Amino acid sequence: DPHFSAAYNDLGMLYAKAKNFKKAIEYYNLAIKNNSGFAFAYTNLANVYNEMNDLDKAKEFYKKALEIDPNFSYAYLSLGNIYNNLKQYSLAIENYQKAVEINPEFVHGYNNLGSSYYSLKNYPLAIENYKKAIKINSDFLPAYSNLGLAYEAFGNKNDAIEIYEKIKTKFPGTNEAIESEKIIAELTIP
């Protein structure tokens, strides 16, 4: 009964949230056993292995989810995150690009794509992707912080200051606003 699959998946999510990974794995596997085409359960299983730092198993289950549902943008994002953390930036970029092709409004996809380009010191493409993330969601603070850093790294001090000023006014009281104040002070020292 496919309804059992959803219930098992939900139980797995509760155990995963409680950091009881052994039980979470048990219930995700029951969900998959009941419905082998349940891509979401494979992704949740991958998330648990990712949190346990078993990246090979995590990759395996994200890929399995994508075999079942090749349009599962979140699975591409998560796979990209693993490759990014492993400093395999070209594979990260490939997966993030697939995520945003499937879902052109995927803020996290553009932000993470920008971060991989930033890691490769390709600041123009990093800047372009952070701007896309902000255009989609003008309240997505991480993209502003990343954009400021990318402008700085690219040597574009004035645009960096402008972004940090925007962070201060748009997100007052946040750690990023406090940090922006310090960065502006450093950047404006003659």
Side-chain angles (χ1 to χ4, degrees), residues 134 138 140-148 163 166-167 170-171:
I134 291 167
S138 64
F140 190 63
L141 176 54
Y144 286 95
S145 298
N146 291 335
L147 181 57
I163 291 298
K166 192 172 276 181
I167 290 170
K170 195 166 176 61
F171 307 99

Side-chain angles (χ1 to χ4, degrees), residues 32 35-40 42 63-71:
I32 291 163
N35 178 1
S36 62
F38 196 2
F40 193 59
Y42 281 104
K63 288 176 181 176
K64 182 68 180 163
L66 288 166
E67 284 173 26
I68 295 165
D69 181 0
N71 292 316

Side-chain angles (χ1 to χ4, degrees), residues 8 11-30 44-45 47-49 51-52:
Y8 288 138
L11 283 168
M13 289 169 66
L14 289 172
Y15 280 114
K17 190 173 181 166
K19 306 281 186 215
N20 185 340
F21 298 133
K22 187 177 177 200
K23 276 287 200 193
I25 290 168
E26 181 184 326
Y27 280 103
Y28 291 139
N29 280 323
L30 283 169
N44 286 337
L45 185 57
N47 290 341
V48 169
Y49 282 114
E51 249 188 277
M52 293 170 60

Side-chain angles (χ1 to χ4, degrees), residues 9-165:
N9 184 67
D10 290 347
L11 283 168
M13 289 169 66
L14 289 172
Y15 280 114
K17 190 173 181 166
K19 306 281 186 215
N20 185 340
F21 298 133
K22 187 177 177 200
K23 276 287 200 193
I25 290 168
E26 181 184 326
Y27 280 103
Y28 291 139
N29 280 323
L30 283 169
I32 291 163
K33 187 177 175 188
N34 259 281
N35 178 1
S36 62
F38 196 2
F40 193 59
Y42 281 104
T43 299
N44 286 337
L45 185 57
N47 290 341
V48 169
Y49 282 114
N50 194 13
E51 249 188 277
M52 293 170 60
N53 216 29
D54 186 342
L55 302 182
D56 288 333
K57 270 222 182 329
K59 284 191 290 190
E60 173 190 335
F61 289 115
Y62 287 131
K63 288 176 181 176
K64 182 68 180 163
L66 288 166
E67 284 173 26
I68 295 165
D69 181 0
N71 292 316
F72 199 172
S73 60
Y74 175 79
Y76 281 115
L77 178 84
S78 300
L79 198 51
N81 290 344
I82 289 176
Y83 288 124
N84 194 60
N85 293 338
L86 293 171
K87 298 183 179 4
Q88 296 176 357
Y89 301 117
S90 60
L91 286 170
I93 288 166
E94 187 180 306
N95 281 279
Y96 294 145
Q97 283 176 330
K98 286 179 184 169
V100 297
E101 280 170 26
I102 293 164
N103 179 0
E105 301 293 306
F106 202 177
V107 174
H108 293 278
Y110 287 111
N111 187 61
N112 294 13
L113 195 49
S115 295
S116 286
Y117 282 123
Y118 181 92
S119 295
L120 290 172
K121 297 184 177 8
N122 187 335
Y123 303 120
L125 280 177
I127 289 165
E128 178 186 317
N129 281 284
Y130 295 140
K131 283 180 170 180
K132 284 180 184 175
I134 291 167
K135 187 176 182 192
I136 293 165
N137 180 353
S138 64
D139 292 325
F140 190 63
L141 176 54
Y144 286 95
S145 298
N146 291 335
L147 181 57
L149 291 170
Y151 277 136
E152 260 187 273
F154 196 49
N156 196 335
K157 196 162 79 166
N158 292 337
D159 283 342
I161 290 169
E162 188 180 315
I163 291 298
Y164 293 129
E165 289 288 355

